[in-house]
Amino acid sequence: RNPGGLLMAATNKDRPDRPLTLDDLPPLPEPDHATLRVEQRRGVAVVFGVISLCIGVTHGVLIPCGGSLGLAAWWACAALVQAAALLALCCFAVLYYGDPGVVRRSESACFPLPPAVEARVRAGENATALNNIIEGRDTFCVRCLVWRRADDGPPHHHCRTCNRCVRQFDHHCGVFGRCIAGGRSSGNKPAFVCILLMGYVGVLTTLASVLAALTTAYSLGTAAAAVGGAIAGAWLVSCVVVVAARAWRLAAGRAASRLQRQQHRRRPAPASHGSGAPAPLLSTKRRVTPPEDPGARCGGRASQTRSRWAGRRTQPAGSASRSAQGPRDQGR
């Protein structure tokens, strides 16, 4: 599958004194694309669903009932909701297309390789069997083959879903399918906090606009009933969406497990030996430990018996024949 890597491994074996380069390193591990696709679709559905709900409800109430609010209040409510939606879309784009702070491979980030990792790379073996190597305050990731420098700002972490090392890692978001990392002016964590804040601002602005428009157009009791009905309807819709997403996820998991079982059944039979007989299966029996040496339990008596028999074996032939005679023959 990797003839180039095998060729480089052979070259490294032939010339062990040749310094390694970035081209000699094995490729980076592949991310979990199936999980990332599911999470990204979930993020798109959540963001655009909340934006559509806020803008639709706000304008749906302001257009027929907002005349009594006044032109300035009407435009203020509509502009605030639209501004929150626009800022949320910008943060969403930063989350999807921005760099959270992945540690890229470079000469300074990868070299010098630790001796154990360098030996495996030259032999063409995978270094993931090793543990991460710690030297002082720095850590070497054996999966990405990069140094995680402490000067870049802790904490560094290798995300199992993205299969990348990330600086100032906070968490992997299961809604947007992205690693959330960074500080106040780096990474995508500011965009993540901002999109959450815009969600709260949009929902609160929508509720305030609906309550103000209905209060000025109708009585306070009618407005409160309408707002309560809108909140109950939104809650029911959210419950339906969550249940549908859960059902779809379960169906996708069952389909994936079914496909995995089919692939397992289609695997070819194990290769046969030169004699034509099929390869023997590995024994699953438990290994039986040998019995304990009886001499260890019997103490000195067993050791004396062994030494006595050893002495008889080393006796000359004549003495051995005399000792082999019975007591009655010896008396004669």
Side-chain angles (χ1 to χ4, degrees):
R1 293 183 179 180
N2 189 12
L6 296 177
L7 181 60
M8 286 186 290
T11 305
N12 294 330
K13 287 182 179 179
D14 297 338
R15 300 180 56 186
D17 56 338
R18 186 180 69 88
L20 296 176
T21 61
L22 292 177
D23 297 334
D24 299 328
L25 300 180
L28 286 168
E30 288 292 329
D32 190 354
H33 294 291
T35 304
L36 290 177
R37 281 194 294 267
V38 172
E39 294 174 350
Q40 291 168 6
R41 293 169 185 171
R42 187 184 303 144
V44 171
V46 169
V47 171
F48 283 90
V50 172
I51 289 176
S52 302
L53 182 63
C54 292
I55 293 180
V57 171
T58 302
H59 287 76
V61 174
L62 286 179
I63 290 176
C65 305
S68 56
L69 277 177
L71 188 61
W74 193 95
W75 278 108
C77 294
L80 190 57
V81 172
Q82 293 177 3
L86 181 60
L87 190 55
L89 288 177
C90 294
C91 296
F92 182 73
V94 172
L95 281 176
Y96 266 60
Y97 301 105
D99 183 15
V102 177
V103 182
R104 308 289 180 182
R105 282 185 177 180
S106 63
E107 294 290 339
S108 60
C110 297
F111 298 102
L113 293 175
V117 176
E118 183 176 357
R120 284 183 170 269
V121 171
R122 289 187 181 277
E125 299 177 355
N126 199 349
T128 55
L130 303 174
N131 294 327
N132 289 342
I133 299 172
I134 302 176
E135 290 187 4
R137 299 174 57 196
D138 301 336
T139 307
F140 187 85
C141 179
V142 296
R143 287 165 285 188
C144 295
L145 299 183
V146 294
W147 284 100
R148 302 188 296 206
R149 310 291 182 183
D151 298 336
D152 296 338
H156 290 68
H157 184 73
H158 183 91
C159 179
R160 295 182 179 180
T161 307
C162 300
N163 262 334
R164 296 292 183 272
C165 286
V166 184
R167 301 184 185 92
Q168 300 181 1
F169 183 86
D170 187 82
H171 70 283
H172 179 86
C173 182
V175 176
F176 297 108
R178 289 290 183 270
C179 291
I180 307 302
R184 296 181 178 178
S185 59
S186 62
N188 58 1
K189 190 174 181 179
F192 177 75
V193 175
C194 185
I195 196 172
L196 293 181
L197 183 61
M198 290 303 103
Y200 286 112
V201 169
V203 172
L204 293 178
T205 304
T206 300
L207 293 177
S209 303
V210 170
L211 183 60
L214 294 179
T215 302
T216 54
Y218 305 100
S219 62
L220 183 60
T222 306
V227 172
I231 294 175
W235 182 77
L236 289 176
V237 170
S238 62
C239 289
V240 171
V241 170
V242 169
V243 171
R246 182 63 177 172
W248 179 77
R249 189 173 182 179
L250 288 175
R254 291 179 179 177
S257 61
R258 191 183 304 112
L259 179 61
Q260 187 176 5
R261 287 195 299 268
Q262 293 177 357
Q263 292 177 353
H264 181 72
R265 293 172 182 172
R266 294 174 184 174
R267 285 182 180 177
S272 60
H273 294 283
S275 60
L281 298 177
L282 296 177
S283 176
T284 57
K285 295 183 179 180
R286 182 181 298 179
R287 180 179 295 179
V288 180
T289 57
E292 186 181 358
D293 187 8
R297 288 182 293 177
C298 299
R301 182 183 299 177
S303 61
Q304 292 176 4
T305 305
R306 286 196 302 270
S307 62
R308 188 185 307 157
W309 280 101
R312 289 182 179 180
R313 293 193 191 97
T314 56
Q315 288 179 357
S319 60
S321 60
R322 285 194 302 269
S323 62
Q325 296 176 358
R328 184 176 302 177
D329 297 337
Q330 291 180 2
R332 294 176 185 175

